[in-house]
Amino acid sequence: MTLLDVSIVNVAVPSMQRSLGAGPSDVQWVLSGYALTFGLVLVPAGRFGDAHGRRTAFVVGVALFTLTSAAAGLASSPGWLVAARLVQGAAAGVVNPQVTGLIQQLFQGSERGRAFGLLGATIGVSTAIGPLLGGLLIQLGGADHGWRWVFFVNVPVGAVAVLLGWRLLPARPTGQPDRHRLDPLGVLLLGAGVLLLLLPLVQREQWHSPWKWALIPVGIAMLLGFALWERRYARHATPLFDLRLFGLRSYSLGTLIALVYFGGFTAIFFIFTLYLQSGLGYSALVAGLAITPFALGSALASALGGRIVDRLGRPLVGIGLVVVVAGLGAVVVVLRDSPAVPVPLLTAVPLLLAGLGSGLVITPNQTLTLSQVPVPQAGSAAGMLQTGQRIGSAAGIAAVGALFFSSLANSRGDWSTAFRHSLLLAAGIIALALAAALVDIALNRRTRRADRTGRAERTGRAERS
């Protein structure tokens, strides 16, 4: 539900505008406010779950998400809808780190990989299937009020999830509960840094002043202050986030891969939906169906990737990234000339290929990134990983969207050219994630060679003695 609501609302915008009389600024806050508050609470929520029990945090988060979904569906004014979306995003940020933390807590070895495989399939499907489900709900609910069902659909699912979560999930993490306070200054510094980074990115279309970009270096400075404070705070108490986790190569490089990959991955759906609906005049339903091959490929490969990641390791992520770039390149090739075949049909196979690659990236990378993280820190570590994904998504959409609209203007309204150019940029961003994966693969091989050499030398000395 929480990831679906990132993309499902996009296709409901015309219906909202007709029903509520929402202006461009209102719409932008409905879309971007959710992502903003989502990203702000991930790490504090993960830390809270680590310390006080992930079941409690999960159930409270899902309950709040369900209530705010109902409030959004009942909105009678744009302000009401925006407020509901802001709180809904924060509730989503509470839920997500608990899911990853619970997998770390409850599963080990290959079982953990399979559990992450199911989670990866969920992430892939929910991110890509949003436009299709949104289109279906709007068609069923009507042009004026169909948007309300985009939110109401969460209510029965959330109610069941609250009941099952409370009944089935363990009450506390293994070991003694952590009674340390939540590090309020750390929460403030991290929140301010993430807010200052995300705000100009998610408000890029509505906030026209160039001064908005000055917030980004201020945000980076806040995050540096957060790092310095956490290092000092860790000397006498449990910090909000243990910076020593970045000393684990699997975690630091995995987080970097996730940040960069989501910068290209999320932008694909943004520009493809614009191209199909605004450029080619397809309905929201057809636009959603066009993205379905990617979602199906991602779901299938995620389940497979979770099962084989323990055997193949980071090379599996590298293979997935190569397949994604190849699939996106194939989309550019098939759209090079004015196609006689409908675009959704023409792009189905290349998008299926890209989706298969994506499924081999998200799940295995998440499994490997968190593999060496101690279970008591699983929630905060997952929160930081997902915060990186949210920042990457916002930055990627801003960069790819800017190229899309500038190409559209420079080509005098040629939507196909604008889409191809921006899709190439998205593929280039994903290629940067591939470069990071190759670095990790090379370093792992060097470490293994050094270990083998060391063992051989020790064996030789033992035989001589």
Side-chain angles (χ1 to χ4, degrees):
M1 291 191 303
T2 59
L3 294 175
L4 188 71
D5 268 48
V6 175
S7 59
I8 194 173
V9 178
N10 289 323
V11 297
V13 167
S15 178
M16 288 177 195
Q17 290 176 314
R18 281 191 297 268
S19 177
L20 298 178
S25 180
D26 299 319
V27 168
Q28 185 65 24
W29 273 108
V30 168
L31 297 176
S32 63
Y34 180 89
L36 189 66
T37 53
F38 193 144
L40 285 177
V41 303
L42 283 166
V43 176
R47 174 73 183 91
F48 181 87
D50 290 341
H52 301 288
R54 298 182 181 108
R55 182 184 72 172
T56 299
F58 176 85
V59 170
V60 170
V62 173
L64 182 59
F65 186 89
T66 304
L67 291 172
T68 51
S69 295
L74 293 170
S76 58
S77 68
W80 179 342
L81 181 58
V82 168
R85 281 287 281 176
L86 290 172
V87 183
Q88 188 191 38
V94 172
V95 171
N96 274 266
Q98 317 313 327
V99 177
T100 310
L102 283 163
I103 290 176
Q104 290 283 99
Q105 175 186 333
L106 299 175
F107 299 93
Q108 294 182 356
S110 60
E111 289 185 349
R112 181 181 290 174
R114 286 194 290 271
F116 273 124
L118 293 174
L119 176 60
T122 304
I123 292 171
V125 170
S126 61
T127 304
I129 211 73
L132 172 60
L133 182 58
L136 284 170
L137 290 170
I138 289 168
Q139 186 161 319
L140 292 172
D144 289 335
H145 295 285
W147 67 270
R148 298 184 186 276
W149 292 100
V150 167
F151 300 110
F152 286 148
V153 73
N154 293 325
V155 174
V157 180
V160 172
V162 166
L163 294 174
L164 292 180
W166 189 259
R167 181 186 177 99
L168 299 177
L169 297 177
R172 288 204 176 274
T174 55
Q176 293 298 317
D178 186 343
R179 296 298 182 187
H180 287 300
R181 58 181 183 156
L182 193 58
D183 181 12
L185 183 57
V187 172
L188 179 63
L189 288 171
L190 178 63
V194 173
L195 177 64
L196 291 171
L197 280 180
L198 288 179
L199 190 59
L201 295 172
V202 301
Q203 284 288 296
R204 66 195 179 281
E205 294 298 322
Q206 298 303 317
W207 191 0
H208 299 294
S209 171
W211 286 104
K212 65 177 178 285
W213 303 116
L215 296 181
I216 291 181
V218 179
I220 293 173
M222 283 283 187
L223 293 179
L224 289 174
F226 166 74
L228 293 173
W229 168 254
E230 291 298 281
R231 187 180 297 275
R232 178 182 176 184
Y233 191 83
R235 295 172 187 167
H236 57 83
T238 303
L240 177 64
F241 176 79
D242 190 344
L243 294 172
R244 290 175 296 183
L245 291 176
F246 284 123
L248 302 172
R249 190 171 70 233
S250 59
Y251 185 78
S252 57
L253 277 173
T255 302
L256 177 63
I257 291 168
L259 185 151
V260 178
Y261 179 70
F262 270 74
F265 161 72
T266 313
I268 296 167
F269 308 112
F270 172 65
I271 58 173
F272 195 41
T273 302
L274 275 177
Y275 172 52
L276 292 175
Q277 290 187 255
S278 302
L280 302 182
Y282 288 106
S283 67
L285 180 58
V286 173
L289 285 169
I291 299 172
T292 303
F294 189 104
L296 292 175
S298 180
L300 291 172
S302 291
L304 173 64
R307 291 178 177 274
I308 63 177
V309 63
D310 284 340
R311 296 200 300 270
L312 297 181
R314 193 73 73 186
L316 180 62
V317 177
I319 292 169
L321 289 165
V322 169
V323 174
V324 174
V325 172
L328 297 181
V331 173
V332 173
V333 170
V334 299
L335 295 179
R336 184 174 49 195
D337 301 317
S338 298
V341 179
V343 167
L345 292 178
L346 201 60
T347 58
V349 173
L351 285 178
L352 175 63
L353 179 65
L356 290 169
S358 185
L360 297 180
V361 174
I362 296 176
T363 293
N365 185 65
Q366 185 162 250
T367 304
L368 295 168
T369 301
L370 299 174
S371 60
Q372 296 180 317
V373 173
V375 170
Q377 297 171 298
S380 59
M384 186 62 77
L385 172 63
Q386 292 174 20
T387 300
Q389 292 173 356
R390 300 277 71 79
I391 292 172
S393 295
I397 289 174
V400 175
L403 179 61
F404 182 90
F405 290 115
S406 65
S407 295
L408 189 63
N410 293 335
S411 62
R412 298 180 181 179
D414 188 338
W415 288 86
S416 294
T417 298
F419 177 65
R420 290 198 308 272
H421 288 174
S422 53
L423 190 61
L424 284 173
L425 176 58
I429 294 171
I430 293 171
L432 293 176
L434 174 61
L438 293 175
V439 168
D440 192 24
I441 292 168
L443 291 173
N444 283 334
R445 287 180 176 174
R446 182 182 298 176
T447 301
R448 285 196 296 270
R449 281 199 301 269
D451 289 343
R452 285 196 297 268
T453 301
R455 284 196 300 270
E457 290 176 352
R458 288 192 296 271
T459 302
R461 285 196 299 269
E463 290 174 349
R464 286 193 296 272
S465 65

